[in-house]
Amino acid sequence: MLKSKKILVTAGPTYEYLDDIRFIGNRSSGKQGAEIAKCLQKLEADVTLVIGPVNLELAGLNKVIRVESAVQMNDAVIETGPFDIAICAAAVSDWRPKVKAKTKIKKSSTGKPQFLELVENPDILKNICIAENRPDLVIGFAAETNDLLTNARSKLKNKGCDWIVANDVSKKNIGFGSDYNEVTIHYKNNPNKKEKLSLKRKSEISEEIVDRIVNQIN
Ligand code: C5P
């Protein structure tokens, strides 16, 4: 069904280093993206998983590229593309420190915190959507703590993707780190349609998302 389809999945957090030991990151576990990649591979798709720093066993997956930062993730996506389908489940840091200090940053003599200048990271999902060889189907994720619906709809527009899978990361039992999730899928071409996949294991959520991908592609 997905045989020979070239599919990208991004997953996990990114770490943006201030010095060799400190970074800006987030609590994404990479589980949802990794489960989607496994599900797609079962259907004989040619899956590339580009994943940030996570503690996950990924031995079953054929093509895994482990990265740390958003810039590395973006480079890996460019190097391994183009793709027929892209699923961007990574929780990419929007910013990175402008410079990474060569040695561990020390407390200043005044005791005042150091000014940290940030610069914007590449928007991987947006770049995929505006590329000349855009995949036929591009799916983004939205991890939000509030105004889920508004944020999902504005993300569809701003990023240029076809679907947004939105989840509420403020709920303790689902989302970041958990084996469970509850999501709502929003569609660019059908603003009135939203499909809720109620609380279940991330592996089961993945199966339901992949079913929809198969239907869309075939
Ligand atoms: O962080 P944000 O809410 O904007 O993420 C929404 C979507 O955009 C997710 O699919 C995420 O993987 C993607 N994204 C990205 N590159 C970024 C920021 C977000 O690919 N720099």
Side-chain angles (χ1 to χ4, degrees):
M1 277 172 294
L2 291 176
K3 202 177 169 113
S4 80
K5 289 282 178 208
K6 230 187 132 188
I7 308 186
L8 167 75
V9 182
T10 71
T14 63
Y15 285 3
E16 314 296 335
Y17 281 91
L18 280 65
D19 58 23
D20 275 338
I21 50 173
R22 303 185 181 100
F23 55 82
I24 298 171
N26 61 71
R27 298 192 299 112
S28 168
S29 65
K31 284 177 187 170
Q32 186 66 75
E35 288 298 338
I36 292 173
K38 285 180 196 168
C39 223
L40 292 164
Q41 195 176 281
K42 267 190 214 152
L43 298 181
E44 297 181 70
D46 173 9
V47 184
T48 302
L49 175 66
V50 182
I51 190 161
V54 292
N55 258 323
L56 283 182
E57 179 52 60
L58 301 169
L61 287 163
N62 297 334
K63 294 185 184 171
V64 178
I65 302 176
R66 290 187 186 262
V67 296
E68 291 208 298
S69 67
V71 168
Q72 289 169 353
M73 189 174 275
N74 192 49
D75 288 347
V77 167
I78 293 167
E79 277 160 30
T80 51
F83 296 94
D84 299 309
I85 301 170
I87 301 152
C88 293
V92 184
S93 171
D94 291 323
W95 308 280
R96 65 179 183 276
K98 187 173 182 189
V99 286
K100 181 185 161 203
K102 289 196 175 69
T103 52
K104 186 184 165 196
I105 300 167
K106 297 279 191 299
K107 257 187 200 169
S108 73
S109 51
T110 63
K112 282 195 182 145
Q114 218 188 49
F115 176 72
L116 180 63
E117 192 175 354
L118 301 176
V119 292
E120 207 175 339
N121 266 332
D123 192 317
I124 302 163
L125 174 61
K126 208 169 183 175
N127 288 346
I128 291 171
C129 289
I130 59 175
E132 237 170 69
N133 43 24
R134 184 194 192 277
D136 298 328
L137 178 63
V138 184
I139 304 174
F141 273 66
E144 302 289 350
T145 54
N146 57 299
D147 298 330
L148 258 71
L149 177 65
T150 318
N151 287 325
R153 293 243 53 99
S154 73
K155 232 153 249 184
L156 274 172
K157 201 163 159 225
N158 299 338
K159 306 267 186 177
C161 57
D162 303 299
W163 306 355
I164 281 283
V165 180
N167 64 335
D168 183 348
V169 289
S170 69
K171 291 187 183 168
K172 286 275 176 293
N173 58 333
I174 58 167
F176 281 1
S178 167
D179 284 331
Y180 291 81
N181 208 354
E182 184 175 272
V183 303
T184 307
I185 310 177
H186 302 261
Y187 300 88
K188 179 177 76 182
N189 290 338
N190 197 344
N192 297 320
K193 183 173 166 189
K194 54 177 180 145
E195 291 185 299
K196 185 170 178 181
L197 311 182
S198 52
L199 185 66
K200 47 179 85 75
R201 297 192 75 81
K202 284 184 174 170
S203 53
E204 295 169 300
I205 294 274
S206 301
E207 280 165 18
E208 294 202 24
I209 293 172
V210 170
D211 277 351
R212 285 166 173 77
I213 294 173
V214 171
N215 281 340
Q216 168 80 27
I217 291 298
N218 294 314

